[in-house]
Each structure stands twice: as structure tokens, then as C-alpha cells.
Amino acid sequence: MFRNTEASYGLASILFHWVSALAVISLFVLGYWMVDLTYYSTWYKTAPHLHKSFGLLLLLLTLVRLAWKVVNPKPKADPNHKKWEQKAGHIAHLAIYLLLMVIMLSGYLISTADARGIWVFDWFEVPGFGSFIDEQADVAGLIHQYAAYSLMGLTLIHALGAIKHHVIDKDSTLLRMIKVIKS
């Protein structure tokens, strides 16, 4: 029930998926909102602090999730899925993980370009190492922004694909990521 089987995802994989999805969407919304804050806003310092803290926790969760994927069996694809659908799904998942890592690394490079560390909810500090390139905060900021927009676009396609499988194809693709199916 906790681990994956050949037929379904386990509870851990399902929780990783939905907690990550909630965090990614929330971080995007928070990031989109906070860039227009003025110095006089009460959220001017709080919003970036929350964004960085949750972003670093998402990085940790993503690394644990990737390790979990390595030690767990992957459920077999639905035999009714076309080869191109299976390939597209595989490529989309790889792109999602790649974009997540690019976003989190570029966020780190933005925040630590001045050599200050990042405090995670005032619990602990992730050290900063300063700039590695000229205009690091600006370059990393553009990468962070465009990778985030790309991730949101891919997330939308991912969700639409799951809905298509559920509504049109009437298969168990979406259900496998919502509940543990006993085999």
C-alpha cells in the first residue's frame, strides 16, 4: 500500500505527486504576485522569504522523490495507451523534473548572488557562495522566470492529458494517481 506495485502507485508516490503539485502551483502564484510588490507593502520582505523557504523545501522533497523513484518499481503503462502517448508521457515527466531543478537552482543563484545565505523559515540557513558569473541575479532571474512559465504550461498539458485519459479514454490513468488501487 505504501510502495508502488506493477499495477498501481503506492501511497508515498501519490503523496509526493500531490504535495509537489500544490507546492509548484502555490510557488508560481506567490512568485507572480510578489514581483509587483513595492517597498512599502507589508508583504515586501515576507513574500520572498516564504517563496524561498517553500522553494527549498520543495527542492528537498523533489530529491527525496527522485530517490524514491529509484528504489520503487514503476507501475506498468496501461496496455491500451498508444506508444506515442507512453513516449510523450515519459518525455513530459523528464521535462517536469528538469524544469523543477532549473527553477530551484536558478532561484538559489538569484538569492545567494550577494553571498548571503537563505534562511528557511528561520529554522536553518542554506549557505550562499556569492556570484559565479557577471549579473548573476539578473541572468538567473530570467532563467527562473521563463522556466517557471514553461513548467506551468507543461503542468497544464499534463493535467489535460490526465483528464483526457479519464473522460475520453475512460482508463485508470488519473485514478492511479488519486487512490491506491489494490492489485
Side-chain angles (χ1 to χ4, degrees):
M1 183 163 151
F2 192 71
R3 293 177 55 87
N4 298 345
T5 66
E6 285 189 4
S8 70
Y9 290 99
L11 183 59
S13 294
I14 292 169
L15 288 173
F16 281 140
H17 178 271
W18 291 109
V19 169
S20 297
L22 178 64
V24 164
I25 292 167
S26 298
L27 283 165
F28 179 80
V29 170
L30 178 59
Y32 187 83
W33 171 72
M34 76 181 191
V35 296
D36 288 330
L37 293 175
T38 66
Y39 180 78
Y40 300 102
S41 170
T42 55
W43 285 94
Y44 183 75
K45 289 186 178 182
T46 305
H49 177 69
L50 291 173
H51 187 80
K52 293 172 196 178
S53 294
F54 280 114
L56 285 169
L57 290 180
L58 178 61
L59 173 59
L60 178 62
L61 178 69
T62 302
L63 294 174
V64 170
R65 184 178 181 185
L66 289 170
W68 182 255
K69 285 177 71 75
V70 169
V71 299
N72 249 294
K74 182 175 185 205
K76 289 186 178 180
D78 186 314
N80 296 320
H81 290 177
K82 298 169 183 73
K83 286 290 181 198
W84 72 265
E85 288 177 317
Q86 291 178 28
K87 191 71 165 169
H90 180 70
I91 291 168
H93 283 104
L94 285 175
I96 286 170
Y97 282 114
L98 179 63
L99 285 167
L100 277 170
M101 297 310 288
V102 166
I103 290 165
M104 293 183 280
L105 177 60
S106 61
Y108 173 81
L109 292 174
I110 295 165
S111 298
T112 60
D114 61 0
R116 285 187 291 170
I118 303 170
W119 278 94
V120 178
F121 296 113
D122 297 326
W123 298 336
F124 61 92
E125 183 180 19
V126 175
F129 300 104
S131 287
F132 299 104
I133 62 170
D134 291 337
E135 311 286 328
Q136 177 172 306
D138 293 336
V139 171
L142 284 173
I143 292 168
H144 193 75
Q145 178 184 5
Y146 288 113
Y149 285 131
S150 298
L151 180 60
M152 286 300 99
L154 193 51
T155 300
L156 178 62
I157 292 168
H158 178 69
L160 291 172
I163 292 167
K164 175 248 185 211
H165 279 290
H166 187 73
V167 174
I168 296 172
D169 299 341
K170 300 195 185 314
D171 65 31
S172 65
T173 301
L174 181 60
L175 292 177
R176 289 185 347 164
M177 196 44 75
I178 291 177
K179 63 181 182 174
V180 176
I181 301 171
K182 294 181 180 132
S183 44

